[in-house]
Amino acid sequence: MPKKRSGGGLSPTQQAAKFLGVSVLAGAVLAGIALPAVGALGLAAKGSVESFDELPANMKTPPLSQRTTILDADGGQIATVYSRDRTVVPLKDISPYMQKAIVAIEDSRFYQHGAVDLKGVLRALNKNAQTGGVSEGASTLTQQYVKNVFVEEAGNDPTKVAQATQQTIGRKIRELKYAIQVEEELGKKKILENYLNITFFGQQAYGVEAAAQRYFSESAEDLSLEQAALLAGIVQSPSRYDPVNDEAEATKRRNTVLQRMAATGDISRAQAADAMKAPLGLKVSKPKNGCITAVKGAGFFCDFVREVFLTDPVFGKTKEQRAKIWNQGGLTIRTTMDPQSQNAAQRSIKDHVYKSDEVATAASIVQPGTGKILAMGQSRPYGFKKNETQINLSVDQSMGGGMGYQPGSTFKPIVAAAALEDGMPANKVYPSPYRMAYPSPVSACDGKRWVNDPNSPAKLQNENSSEVGPYDMREATAKSVNTYYVQMISDIGICPVTTMAKKMGVVRADGDKMPQVPSIALGTQEMSPLTMANAYATFASRGMYCTPIAIESVNRRIGDKTTSLEVPKSTCSRAMSENTADTINALLKGVVEDGTGKKAGLGSRPSAGKTGTTDERYAAWFVGYTPNMAGAVWVGDPAHKRKMVGITIGGRPYGKVFGGEVPGPIWGDMMSGALEGKPVENFNSVHIPDSKPRDRGDGDGDGGRDDGGNGDDGDGGFIGGLVGGNNGGGGDEPTPSFSIPEGFIRGQGNGGGNGNGGRFG
C-alpha cells in the first residue's frame, strides 16, 4: 500500500507518478507515432494510441470573438459591445518584448521543439518530484494554444468550458493530436501570433491588444520591457497575478519573468535588474462594454441596433445563427444616427424633462424618403440605477420597448388622408357639435358594421364647450375637433383608415391587430414614437412610405480578413397620392401656424405637425416634420398611473399638460437644433378651397387637452370600456340587455380609451 507523507497528501513518488500519468502519456503517444514502442511504456500507451488515431484529422478553429464597434453616420464611435473584449492584431503589431517574454516564461524551448517538448516533460518530472507537488507543467505553447481554442469554442457555456479544461487523459490526447496538426500547418510565428490573440489576461481582457489597453492604456506594439513582462506573467493565473488587486504578487511574478528572460538570453542581466526596479506603471482603463457606455445619450439607439441584428433574417436564418455572429463580434456597424440630430434631441429633452420627474419623455427623428433613423432619445437614461431604465420608450415591444402609448389626436391626419384618398373634398364641412353620440352604423372590413348601443350609446365631446361647428377640414384639424373626425370616419368607414395606417407603417406597439372601431380616429390604440415619426415622414415625402432602418453597413473581421455583410434595406412604397400628402401638409401647417401647435413652430422654416393628448392626460404628443426631417415627441408615465394634472415637469408646474404645451416645445427645440445649417425646404403648395365657416376664434381654449384625446367622459360605460373591446376601443361583444347611467363606468381599457362600445351587425 503506498505510503503517505506525514500530515496527509501524496508522497513525492506519488506526485511524480500522478504527473507521469498525464505528461509521459504525451511522450508515449508521440512514441506510438514516431518512435518504437519500448517495454512497459509502449504497452501502456497502446490503448491511448488507438484513441489518438480515431480523432478527427482537422481541428475546427472558430473565429475569435472580438469587440464590436458601433458608429454613427459620420463614423464617430457610439459604443463597443462584446462577449469578450478582444482586438486581433498581427504579430508585427506586437512588441518584440512581449513576444520574447511570453516565450521565455511559458515555453522557453518553443523554437527548438515540435508539438511536444520531451525534454521539458523530463525537466518538469524532475522538478515536481523534488518539490513534492506539481509546480511545473510540461505543456508547450502550441498545446496551450489548442486548449484555448477549445475554450473559445465552448463560448459562454459553463458545461462546455468545464469539458474543455478538464484534467483528463482523453483531453490531453485530443490536445496533443491537434497540436501536431497546428505545428505542421501554421508554423511557429503564426502559432505565437494566435496564442497572443486568444489567451486571457484577466480584467475582461482577451488577447494582448485588449490587455495592453486595459492595464496601460497603450497598444500592444508600444509595450515596454517591464510592461511586457507583467502581462506575460499574468497568463499563468490571471486572478492570482492581477496587478490591479494585488500589486505585490504581480510585481514578484513580473520579476520572475524578467529573470527568465535574462536566463534565456533575451535580455541582459543588467536590463533585467533595471526593469525589476521600475514601478508597475499601471494606467488602467475600465472595461467599456455595452450600450450603457454609449455617448451622446445614444444607449437606446445602440440597443435598437442590437435588436435589429438579432431579429432580422438578413443576418442569419435563425435566432441562434444571428446570436452566434453577434457574440463572435469583430463587427464594425455604421448606423444611420446623425450626431447633430442626436445631440439636439438629448439637449432638448434634458432642458424640458428631468430624469427624476414623475413622467418621462421619448423622441425619435426620421429622414423622409429614406427611412433612416437619425436620432432616438429619452429622459430616463439607459442603465440600472434609480431613474434609469433598459426599456426603450421610443420603439415597439418586440424591439425592446414597452406596450406603447395612445397617440391621441396625432392619429387624426391618418384618418384625413384616408378620407382624401376616398375622394372626400378638403373643404368638407360637418356640423361638429360640442357633444354627440358616435354615429351608427359604421362600415368595417370584411363587410362588417360597427353598431352603437342604442340603449347606452357611446358618446364623445370636444375639449371646450365653445367648440361647436360647423367646421371644415382645415379648421377642424387646426383645433383638433373630435366630433368632426368621428363624423369623418363614420362617413368613409373604418376599413379605409386601418388600411391607410398599415400603408404608413402604423401598428400597435404590442403587435396586436388594430380593432375595427370608430374610436381609432381619436388615437385610442397604443403606438411608439418611432412609429409615429416614421408615419409622418410619409406626409413629408409626398406620400412615399419607407420602412425605418438603423444600419448603413456592417463589416466583419475574421482573422486578418474583412468582409461586408448584407444589411436590411429600407423598402419604399406609395401610401397615398402626392396630392393627398400635399393637402395633409397644408392642413398640418395650419396647426403650427395658428392652431394647437403654435408653440412648436420653427419660425421662418416651413413645418407641419399635430398635437395629441389622451384621455385623462396620461400621455401628450407632438408629431411634426419639415420636408427633410420628421420627429415625434411623447410625454407621459410609462406605467400609465400618473395623470398629467397638477404636475411639475422639468422644474415647471403645469395645471394641465397637453400636446402643444410640453411635447410641442421639446419638438421645436429638438428640430431647430437638428436642422441647423441644413437647407430650408418648402412644401409643395396646394390650394384648399375656403368653405367660409363662421368665425369662432383660434380655438386654443384654456390650453387644456387640445384635442379632447379620446373624450374625457368615455361614455358608453360598461360597454364602452370593459366589454367594448381592446384597450377601451370597443369591440364585437354583444350589448347587455340593461342600461347603465351615463358615465357611471368610464371606458378605460389599457390607457383610458374613450370606450367606443358597440357591436358588429
Side-chain angles (χ1 to χ4, degrees):
M1 188 172 181
K3 295 181 180 179
K4 291 187 177 181
R5 291 185 300 164
S6 175
L10 299 177
S11 67
T13 303
Q14 289 173 310
Q15 292 281 4
K18 180 181 179 182
F19 184 80
L20 183 65
V22 176
S23 301
V24 172
L25 176 62
V29 173
L30 185 58
I33 299 171
L35 301 173
V38 181
L41 183 58
L43 293 173
K46 183 178 178 182
S48 298
V49 173
E50 290 173 353
S51 299
F52 184 98
D53 290 337
E54 292 171 0
L55 286 170
N58 295 309
M59 177 179 69
K60 294 181 179 179
T61 306
L64 293 183
S65 58
Q66 301 184 67
R67 71 176 67 178
T68 285
T69 303
I70 301 177
L71 308 175
D72 62 31
D74 291 345
Q77 183 171 301
I78 296 174
T80 57
V81 297
Y82 49 81
S83 59
R84 292 181 177 175
D85 186 8
R86 176 190 283 121
T87 300
V88 176
V89 291
L91 196 62
K92 66 180 180 64
D93 291 339
I94 300 174
S95 165
Y97 286 126
M98 187 68 221
Q99 299 178 41
K100 293 176 181 179
I102 200 71
V103 170
I105 196 63
E106 291 296 324
D107 186 2
S108 61
R109 286 174 32 80
F110 175 62
Y111 292 105
Q112 283 77 51
H113 62 66
V116 178
D117 183 11
L118 293 179
K119 184 175 180 180
V121 170
L122 296 174
R123 184 189 69 246
L125 273 173
N126 181 57
K127 179 70 176 292
N128 294 329
Q130 290 176 356
T131 60
V134 184
S135 61
E136 186 169 325
S139 290
T140 64
L141 210 64
T142 306
Q143 288 173 282
Q144 291 182 47
Y145 165 64
V146 171
K147 177 182 176 181
N148 276 315
V149 170
F150 295 159
V151 173
E152 185 74 19
E153 192 175 20
N156 296 321
D157 187 324
T159 302
K160 291 182 179 179
V161 171
Q163 292 172 349
T165 57
Q166 61 186 343
Q167 294 296 322
T168 64
I169 292 176
R171 184 186 67 78
K172 283 289 185 180
I173 292 173
R174 181 168 172 248
E175 180 183 292
L176 175 65
K177 179 163 186 176
Y178 290 140
I180 294 170
Q181 172 205 333
V182 167
E183 284 273 353
E184 291 176 348
E185 293 182 357
L186 299 184
K188 295 293 186 180
K189 286 189 176 181
K190 190 62 177 177
I191 291 170
L192 180 59
E193 176 185 299
N194 289 359
Y195 178 86
L196 286 169
N197 278 303
I198 199 172
T199 198
F200 180 51
F201 287 86
Q203 292 288 327
Q204 300 182 35
Y206 287 82
V208 66
E209 178 67 21
Q213 295 289 349
R214 180 74 72 254
Y215 293 108
F216 302 112
S217 299
E218 292 187 4
S219 61
E221 64 181 343
D222 296 325
L223 290 170
S224 65
L225 171 59
E226 51 267 31
Q227 289 173 336
L230 177 69
L231 295 185
I234 291 173
V235 170
Q236 187 183 83
S237 180
S239 58
R240 178 180 176 185
Y241 301 125
D242 182 356
V244 175
N245 295 311
D246 195 335
E247 185 174 336
E249 192 70 19
T251 301
K252 286 170 58 179
R253 179 64 177 169
R254 180 201 67 177
N255 292 347
T256 298
V257 175
L258 291 168
Q259 290 171 343
R260 186 64 184 159
M261 292 178 74
T264 56
D266 290 317
I267 59 174
S268 68
R269 296 197 178 278
Q271 284 179 297
D274 289 342
M276 289 166 66
K277 295 175 185 176
L280 293 184
L282 298 178
K283 189 177 179 182
V284 179
S285 61
K286 294 182 178 180
K288 296 179 179 179
N289 181 25
C291 293
I292 197 170
T293 65
V295 299
K296 303 180 180 72
F300 295 101
F301 190 97
C302 169
D303 190 70
F304 183 75
V305 169
R306 181 182 67 87
E307 291 287 348
V308 169
F309 198 99
L310 294 176
T311 57
D312 199 303
V314 75
F315 295 114
K317 293 182 179 179
T318 67
K319 180 180 180 181
E320 290 73 23
Q321 288 176 333
R322 296 188 292 268
K324 185 176 181 180
I325 296 173
W326 180 263
N327 290 331
Q328 285 175 347
L331 308 171
T332 300
I333 303 175
R334 185 181 286 264
T335 71
T336 60
M337 191 187 89
D338 171 45
Q340 179 179 336
S341 299
Q342 182 68 25
N343 285 335
Q346 283 301 128
R347 185 168 55 248
S348 180
I349 287 170
K350 186 177 180 180
D351 288 345
H352 291 277
V353 182
Y354 299 158
K355 69 177 186 178
S356 58
D357 285 344
E358 294 179 89
V359 294
T361 186
S364 293
I365 302 177
V366 176
Q367 185 178 67
T370 67
K372 292 181 180 180
I373 304 170
L374 304 181
M376 186 182 292
Q378 62 191 54
S379 58
R380 293 181 183 171
Y382 188 94
F384 305 90
K385 301 176 182 177
K386 184 180 180 182
N387 299 321
E388 297 179 346
T389 183
Q390 299 86 55
I391 298 175
N392 188 345
L393 303 177
S394 288
V395 303
D396 291 346
Q397 187 178 23
S398 63
M399 299 301 288
M403 301 290 286
Y405 325 98
Q406 292 180 334
S409 291
T410 60
F411 192 86
K412 288 175 180 173
I414 299 171
V415 182
L420 293 169
E421 285 288 283
D422 197 52
M424 181 177 289
N427 61 348
K428 174 70 174 179
V429 176
Y430 285 110
S432 312
Y434 164 64
R435 182 180 176 87
M436 63 179 287
Y438 278 88
S440 176
V442 183
S443 63
C445 293
D446 301 323
K448 295 181 179 180
R449 296 187 306 163
W450 178 89
V451 180
N452 205 348
D453 178 12
N455 297 316
S456 182
K459 298 179 180 179
L460 74 154
Q461 66 184 39
N462 297 326
E463 168 62 21
N464 300 308
S465 57
S466 61
E467 292 175 354
V468 178
Y471 288 111
D472 64 6
M473 195 179 297
R474 185 199 300 271
E475 190 173 10
T477 302
K479 295 180 178 180
S480 202
V481 179
N482 291 332
T483 55
Y484 180 95
Y485 271 89
V486 167
Q487 289 175 288
M488 178 187 285
I489 196 172
S490 299
D491 260 6
I492 65 172
I494 301 166
C495 201
V497 176
T498 56
T499 300
M500 176 59 70
K502 185 177 181 180
K503 288 181 178 180
M504 297 174 67
V506 177
V507 295
R508 286 177 54 92
D510 60 6
D512 287 350
K513 291 184 178 180
M514 203 174 297
Q516 294 283 308
V517 291
S519 66
I520 62 172
L522 306 182
T524 57
Q525 304 305 302
E526 287 80 0
M527 316 291 179
S528 68
L530 178 59
T531 290
M532 296 306 295
N534 203 46
Y536 273 48
T538 306
F539 298 139
S541 60
R542 303 191 69 197
M544 290 298 294
Y545 167 73
C546 298
T547 56
I549 55 170
I551 298 175
E552 293 266 26
S553 66
V554 177
N555 290 327
R556 186 185 187 193
R557 182 177 176 181
I558 300 177
D560 56 358
K561 294 183 180 179
T562 300
T563 58
S564 296
L565 300 185
E566 186 180 353
V567 299
K569 303 293 184 183
S570 179
T571 57
C572 299
S573 57
R574 180 153 295 284
M576 65 193 75
S577 69
E578 289 185 350
N579 186 66
T580 292
D582 292 341
T583 304
I584 296 294
N585 296 339
L587 293 173
L588 297 188
K589 279 183 67 178
V591 174
V592 296
E593 289 173 354
D594 58 7
T596 58
K598 286 189 292 187
K599 292 185 178 180
L602 300 179
S604 60
R605 184 184 291 270
S607 64
K610 185 73 186 73
T611 56
T613 313
T614 65
D615 193 21
E616 303 290 343
R617 303 184 192 277
Y618 283 110
W621 293 71
F622 189 88
V623 188
Y625 54 97
T626 67
N628 46 2
M629 204 171 282
V633 175
W634 158 87
V635 177
D637 178 10
H640 197 77
K641 294 179 180 179
R642 179 61 161 99
K643 300 177 183 179
M644 290 187 290
V645 177
I647 192 172
T648 297
I649 303 175
R652 292 182 57 190
Y654 295 91
K656 293 180 179 179
V657 170
F658 65 101
E661 181 65 30
V662 180
I666 295 174
W667 184 91
D669 290 348
M670 174 180 77
M671 298 295 280
S672 293
L675 289 163
E676 185 177 356
K678 292 184 169 55
V680 176
E681 298 182 21
N682 291 306
F683 293 108
N684 194 63
S685 61
V686 61
H687 175 65
I688 299 177
D690 190 357
S691 64
K692 301 186 185 305
R694 59 188 176 87
D695 185 18
R696 284 172 297 276
D698 67 6
D700 274 349
D702 63 359
R705 191 189 53 213
D706 56 284
D707 51 81
N710 306 330
D712 250 341
D713 275 354
D715 293 326
F718 185 70
I719 299 300
L722 302 181
V723 176
N726 196 0
N727 299 306
D732 56 3
E733 298 290 338
T735 55
S737 59
F738 56 91
S739 61
I740 298 175
E742 181 178 298
F744 180 71
I745 302 178
R746 300 182 187 276
Q748 294 293 325
N750 182 23
N754 63 29
N756 193 18
R759 62 174 182 264
F760 285 103

